[in-house]
Amino acid sequence: MMALGRNVVLLGVGVAGVSFLSTKTNRGKVKDIWTNAKDKTMSLWKKKHSDLDPLIEKAGHPDPYDHEDNKMVDEGAMYSVNYYNKAKHG
């Protein structure tokens, strides 16, 4: 019985969509909304990638005088060595 109700709702949504899109002005509105949403999404996507560019640049060319960064890398390297020693020797 639940499947019949769901199918009726989906059929109603489909009929409403077709009747809404039957006029040219409504199709234009939907197309404009779709284009605006796509443009906003793409601009957000590009913004996120541009925020990552300085981090990628720093990762590729570390500064030898950035002591905090070098300390972090050193501690990360020691973590795996300590883990191995603890696993091997108990």
Side-chain angles (χ1 to χ4, degrees):
M1 188 67 180
M2 290 294 287
L4 179 64
R6 182 179 43 181
N7 289 340
V8 169
V9 169
L10 289 175
L11 180 64
V13 169
V15 169
V18 167
S19 65
F20 181 76
L21 294 174
S22 65
T23 62
K24 192 170 186 172
T25 57
N26 288 343
R27 285 193 301 267
K29 288 177 187 177
V30 170
K31 184 179 177 184
D32 291 341
I33 290 170
W34 177 259
T35 303
N36 289 338
K38 185 179 75 167
D39 291 343
K40 286 180 184 179
T41 303
M42 292 306 292
S43 69
L44 212 99
W45 178 265
K46 289 177 184 177
K47 181 180 177 186
K48 285 185 179 179
H49 280 290
S50 66
D51 291 344
L52 291 176
D53 287 343
L55 295 176
I56 292 172
E57 185 68 30
K58 182 177 180 183
H61 306 286
D63 183 12
Y65 297 107
D66 187 359
H67 298 293
E68 290 300 316
D69 188 44
N70 292 334
K71 181 180 172 186
M72 179 186 66
V73 171
D74 183 42
E75 290 172 354
M78 289 307 297
Y79 177 80
S80 58
V81 172
N82 291 335
Y83 181 82
Y84 174 78
N85 287 337
K86 188 182 286 187
K88 194 71 169 173
H89 300 294

